[in-house]
Amino acid sequence: MYEGAVQDLIDELGRLPGVGPKSAQRIAFHLLAAESADVGRLVAALQRVQAEVRFCVTCHNVAEAEQCRICRDPRRTLDVICVVEEPKDVVAIERTREFKGRYHVLGGAISPIEGIGPDDLRVKELMTRLMDGQVTELIIATDPNLEGEATAAYLARLVGPLGLAVSRLASGLPVGGDLEYADEVTLGRAFEGRRRIDA
């Protein structure tokens, strides 16, 4: 397609998740047209992330120290853990400002098709955290898809003997959505998760 460095850049950008060949080409040509100071800031940010960012030793969220800011926060309750698939899920839940406990990032979801089983996730680390007796509730916040449901069911069975309260995030209709456009699974979950209205 293109010569040397340009094609190498397009190829490397195309390896990023969600970036197809056309997007990779657009980004590459944007970078070629950008000021060298802008490109330099991008390169510096990438190098800094690689050098400074690691995973929290407690919850496996992204961190710039041994523990992430959430695990270091003494105001967070120790008795509730919310299990998520990826660090981006922590950010989504934190934006709600509803959850005051701690997290555990699995690093993915069970997916037999992709060859990902429980041993490929941070399930053992979760079980170690649950054994100390401080945790009384486990909230499973995996994605509402086939892999997320399989992971949630596996975790619920695994921690059942510990006597913890185990819950799953509700799923259903989005705010502002129309019933006629909802698929059967979403509508079914909305019925299952319905709540009483106190008048």
Side-chain angles (χ1 to χ4, degrees):
M1 304 281 185
Y2 296 96
E3 289 191 29
V6 174
Q7 188 60 47
D8 290 346
L9 177 60
I10 292 170
D11 292 343
E12 290 304 315
L13 290 169
R15 293 176 51 197
L16 296 171
V19 178
K22 289 190 185 267
S23 294
Q25 184 176 320
R26 275 194 297 277
I27 295 167
F29 281 99
H30 171 79
L31 292 171
L32 285 172
E35 297 286 328
S36 62
D38 294 338
V39 174
R41 280 194 302 275
L42 175 62
V43 169
L46 290 170
Q47 288 173 333
R48 183 172 174 224
V49 163
Q50 189 169 31
E52 297 177 15
V53 176
R54 59 190 62 110
F55 292 103
C56 174
V57 296
T58 304
C59 74
H60 306 284
N61 190 13
V62 291
E64 290 190 10
E66 190 170 316
Q67 283 190 312
C68 69
R69 65 174 178 78
I70 295 169
C71 287
R72 289 192 318 260
D73 188 345
R75 296 170 296 180
R76 303 301 286 236
T77 181
L78 297 171
D79 61 338
V80 181
I81 290 180
C82 180
V83 179
V84 297
E85 293 179 20
E86 302 290 344
K88 63 183 172 55
D89 302 325
V90 172
V91 173
I93 294 170
E94 283 296 291
R95 278 197 306 257
T96 69
R97 296 192 168 121
E98 292 291 324
F99 181 64
K100 305 298 181 211
R102 311 257 172 143
Y103 293 92
H104 187 83
V105 180
L106 292 172
I110 295 171
S111 177
I113 292 172
E114 294 180 25
I116 300 171
D119 291 340
D120 300 310
L121 305 176
R122 296 186 189 103
V123 175
K124 288 181 188 131
E125 293 88 340
L126 173 63
M127 294 307 290
T128 301
R129 291 181 70 188
L130 297 178
M131 294 299 179
D132 70 5
Q134 283 187 311
V135 178
T136 59
E137 181 181 3
L138 189 70
I139 301 170
I140 302 174
T142 53
D143 290 341
N145 56 25
L146 191 61
E147 294 83 4
E149 294 296 333
T151 305
Y154 174 80
L155 291 175
R157 281 193 310 275
L158 189 65
V159 303
L162 299 178
L164 303 174
V166 180
S167 58
R168 177 101 168 97
L169 285 187
S171 59
L173 299 172
V175 174
D178 294 326
L179 286 178
E180 65 181 297
Y181 299 118
D183 63 90
E184 294 83 11
V185 174
T186 301
L187 201 49
R189 287 192 181 151
F191 269 97
E192 287 174 10
R194 68 188 183 278
R195 291 181 293 167
R196 185 180 303 277
I197 298 175
D198 297 321

